[in-house]
Amino acid sequence: LLPENENQVILLLLTACSGQPSPPSASPSASTKRTQEFTTTFTLRTRSFYVVGQNNEKTFGWSRYRGRTQFLGEAFRVQMLVASDFVRSNGTFEGFVNLTSDSGDIGLRITGVAQPGPQGDGSSYSGETEVIGGTQTYATLAGRGRFTGQRTGGTGTPIDVVVTLELINPSEER
């Protein structure tokens, strides 16, 4: 173990003179990535939508959904706040997903597109998600990934969602 600077020389000298073991060497840690996924069924809690356009073909507004999931080995309550802008059931959405547990919260940003479902009623959602940040155990969590969802009924029916995240430096014990 060779010291890299003056401070390490002094620290090693003091440690050697005190009879204490020398401190571990500080080496840069490599960034680790781990893919994690969670699924949930979001149920609509409240919404506010407006229909506009010459033929009432445009819809915009916001919705608040709730669900539950397992993620990183823990049970979470999940809330999704989403704003959407559709023309004849095609359009964009953006918003936030918050996962809450006893060990901390995780905030995600979502953006994507929606299309009519394959059988008429319903919608198919796909887009990107990014970790905004977390609290407590999840305070250093970072990453990004994909958001997909499927609603098989009409407006206001539950949405089945899959979120796949490539997490950077996730806690190894989880």
Side-chain angles (χ1 to χ4, degrees), residues 38-65:
F38 71 84
T39 62
T40 190
T41 298
F42 280 115
T43 55
L44 181 66
R45 293 298 183 205
T46 187
R47 68 181 178 161
S48 181
F49 272 90
Y50 303 93
V51 178
V52 296
Q54 187 172 6
N55 298 312
N56 291 332
E57 71 277 9
K58 299 176 183 179
T59 305
F60 70 94
W62 61 268
S63 302
R64 183 172 61 96
Y65 296 87

Side-chain angles (χ1 to χ4, degrees), residues 98-113:
N98 187 58
L99 294 97
T100 303
S101 75
D102 292 338
S103 297
D105 296 350
I106 301 169
L108 307 174
R109 176 179 291 111
I110 57 172
T111 59
V113 295

Side-chain angles (χ1 to χ4, degrees), residues 4-124:
E4 295 178 15
N5 62 43
E6 271 182 10
N7 291 335
Q8 285 183 330
V9 170
I10 293 168
L11 182 59
L12 285 172
L13 182 58
L14 290 174
T15 302
C17 292
S18 68
Q20 299 295 320
S22 53
S25 63
S27 62
S29 61
S31 178
T32 59
K33 292 183 180 182
R34 184 169 64 155
T35 302
Q36 294 289 301
E37 181 177 281
F38 71 84
T39 62
T40 190
T41 298
F42 280 115
T43 55
L44 181 66
R45 293 298 183 205
T46 187
R47 68 181 178 161
S48 181
F49 272 90
Y50 303 93
V51 178
V52 296
Q54 187 172 6
N55 298 312
N56 291 332
E57 71 277 9
K58 299 176 183 179
T59 305
F60 70 94
W62 61 268
S63 302
R64 183 172 61 96
Y65 296 87
R66 286 201 179 152
R68 294 188 178 276
T69 194
Q70 290 281 67
F71 184 53
L72 299 173
E74 187 164 4
F76 284 90
R77 295 173 307 283
V78 189
Q79 179 174 243
M80 179 172 68
L81 303 170
V82 64
S84 54
D85 178 8
F86 300 121
V87 177
R88 293 184 196 88
S89 300
N90 292 292
T92 61
F93 66 87
E94 60 184 316
F96 304 97
V97 173
N98 187 58
L99 294 97
T100 303
S101 75
D102 292 338
S103 297
D105 296 350
I106 301 169
L108 307 174
R109 176 179 291 111
I110 57 172
T111 59
V113 295
Q115 300 174 334
Q119 284 80 33
D121 263 355
S123 293
S124 178

Side-chain angles (χ1 to χ4, degrees), residues 109-152:
R109 176 179 291 111
I110 57 172
T111 59
V113 295
Q115 300 174 334
Q119 284 80 33
D121 263 355
S123 293
S124 178
Y125 305 90
S126 64
E128 297 180 4
T129 186
E130 175 184 6
V131 176
I132 297 170
T135 64
Q136 296 171 247
T137 302
Y138 309 107
T140 61
L141 198 64
R144 52 183 349 123
R146 300 286 305 155
F147 177 98
T148 59
Q150 185 71 37
R151 186 182 72 221
T152 56

